Amino acid sequence: MKRCWIAGAALLALSGCGASGNNAWDFLRGHISARSTVLENWQPSDDAVARGAMQFAFGDFGGLNSDAMNTVALPWKLTSAALVMHLSPDDQSLDALQRIMQGYGFFYPQTIANWPEGAGPAPVPEAAMGLVLGTGTRSIPQIEIQIASTGCAACHAAPTYDAQGRPQTGRLWLGAPNPSLDLETYTQDIYRALVAATRDSDALMASTRRLYPEMTAGEEKTLRDFVLPRVRERLAEIGSAGTGPLPFSNGHAGVTNGVAALKLQHGLLADQSDVYARERGFTSVPHLADRGFRSMLLWDGAYAPTGHDDRERALTTADITDGHLGDLAGITAYFTVPTMGMSDRAAVRAIPTVREAFAFVATVRPQPFPGQIDMERAGRGGALFSAKCSSCHGTYQETPQGPRLSRFPNVLKTVGTDSARAEAMDQQLVDSVNRRPIARHIHAEATGRYAPPPLTGIWQSAPYLHNGSVPSLAALLGLEERPAIFQTGGHAMNLDKVGVDYPAGYQPYSRPSQVDTRQRGMGNGGHTRMFDGLSIEERRDLLEYLKRL
């Protein structure tokens, strides 16, 4: 029997035992699990939206356990101490840790602007927003460890913007895409920090005690006697292999590589020399407003609920039932496999909790556009949108609250954009997904095309296209050139062009990344035919309308 008491550290692609769901077997194999500390003493509200907001912002979905520590979850105190030692040796404090985490695009909010009424005050995150912590314990052997993993809000919470387009990082908007989360740099820094820190275990433990003076003797013993030996062993294996902490790149700020992460969890990347160059299916984090109108999820529409023969079927507001949202929740629960390191069976067990979170997701609206809108231009732009865009991106009806999506076509298209992401979801991965327990809830297909999304909240979603390769709507619409190289992350918003901005004197709140659209997976071409024949003035009209969505 393989022993995996505490297998190692986050994002180091460790191999280990899979989750079984059998309590007796879990006990014998040394399994440890924890619950989100924020939710430990939480009294669930009678209001479904309030419950959903708590799960969305602070839920662990069953992902805080020793199995998840094989790939994604972290022994938080030890790892954060290593980061501080490595990146802030002269100031080993929690303030320094916060600055480091902010550099990766994590937030420490004072306010959640769209927290549901009736949900009570939004809890203050124990660590950064979207970093879910919980403490797991065992009596035989005696184990105590604080585990961390990334939750929904790591990717789907963003700063609000003021009337000048300046980000308000202390005031977040749940459901909007985080444009600055840089998982690649976060992963690489954790790896380098652990390599450096484990050369002197005594200094690392001293730094951990300095950061966390409330740490119990039991947790200190767990870190010293169980965690550190396994981390050192795994770091040595990675070092001798020369592959680095992951066989693929997570891209840059604001994008993810979820297909490669899923292939890693399915064991499909082993012993392949071209993985790093090949697996570059980068995707920009989407806005969650109106995602209930989807009949299939992911940028390529790879996942659809079982029981539907027609993946490409138009939905109207009448179709957005609790049953339909429950079907989408069944798919979304599977996203915890690549993002939280959960097993397929654990993802199935998480479906009821994800359904709770969907009660909140179904209510998400974008932050109202904070700048000025020329309503005369926007009126003309609305007519152009209906003629040029609605067949892919949906029909919006005018209401007293502004345009509201009323019908969405759910089509798959090829519009000349970079094909790497569509190709990444290959038949081997699809077959692997369809053999798993999740197949009761998901039918996967390699579509080879992209699913145009609803454009609700598009102004909050820069940069644009599925891979985030175009910095502004102005550039997307052809009002200016699409740059080959630009920066993103920690940026302000240019409210005229609607896109990434670094105005003179501006200090980014996180470390910007360079986007090179000449690299595989980051091409910025395509999505131009629909604008053929539009004058400059008409394109400006269309841009003005998009601000209203």
Side-chain angles (χ1 to χ4, degrees), residues 37-267:
T37 304
V38 173
L39 299 186
E40 278 186 344
N41 299 314
W42 170 52
Q43 295 299 317
S45 168
D46 292 335
D47 185 301
V49 175
R51 293 196 306 274
M54 285 292 291
Q55 294 290 3
F56 183 85
F58 304 105
D60 59 75
F61 303 101
L64 298 179
N65 58 65
S66 49
D67 293 316
M69 293 177 77
N70 291 324
T71 49
V72 173
L74 294 153
W76 179 243
K77 290 185 173 71
L78 191 77
T79 306
S80 58
L83 278 172
V84 170
M85 286 179 66
H86 185 58
L87 298 174
S88 182
D90 297 328
D91 178 15
Q92 296 187 31
S93 66
L94 290 177
D95 286 343
L97 175 62
Q98 180 171 326
R99 290 192 296 271
I100 291 167
M101 297 298 289
Q102 287 171 326
Y104 303 126
F106 287 95
F107 298 104
Y108 292 78
Q110 290 82 51
T111 306
I112 297 176
N114 60 334
W115 191 249
E117 293 184 11
V124 176
E126 187 176 4
M129 192 72 189
L131 193 68
V132 183
L133 304 183
T135 299
T137 61
R138 280 181 60 93
S139 56
I140 303 174
Q142 289 190 339
I143 295 289
E144 179 182 354
I145 185 168
Q146 187 181 55
I147 306 171
S149 190
T150 50
C152 302
C155 290
H156 295 288
T160 55
Y161 293 88
D162 67 14
Q164 287 72 48
R166 299 299 176 105
Q168 313 298 296
T169 58
R171 187 173 183 267
L172 296 189
W173 197 273
L174 285 183
N178 183 347
S180 302
L181 185 64
D182 187 349
L183 292 175
E184 176 66 13
T185 303
Y186 182 51
T187 302
Q188 297 292 340
D189 280 358
I190 286 174
Y191 174 64
R192 287 188 286 263
L194 286 169
V195 168
T198 52
R199 293 177 183 138
D200 189 341
S201 298
D202 290 340
L204 176 56
M205 291 307 304
S207 181
T208 306
R209 286 192 299 271
R210 188 179 304 114
L211 281 182
Y212 304 103
E214 76 287 358
M215 180 173 62
T216 67
E219 183 164 13
E220 182 173 350
K221 179 176 173 60
T222 297
L223 294 176
R224 186 180 62 249
D225 295 347
F226 282 90
V227 177
L228 266 172
R230 287 153 181 80
V231 170
R232 281 196 297 266
E233 179 182 344
R234 181 55 183 151
L235 290 172
E237 291 175 2
I238 294 172
S240 62
T243 58
L246 285 174
F248 59 87
S249 170
N250 272 306
H252 55 263
V255 302
T256 63
N257 195 352
V259 172
L262 183 61
K263 287 180 177 178
L264 180 69
Q265 294 285 42
H266 280 231

Side-chain angles (χ1 to χ4, degrees), residues 2-4 7 14-18 29 67 70:
K2 183 184 288 185
R3 295 176 61 214
C4 56
L14 309 179
S15 61
C17 303
R29 70 192 181 92
D67 293 316
N70 291 324

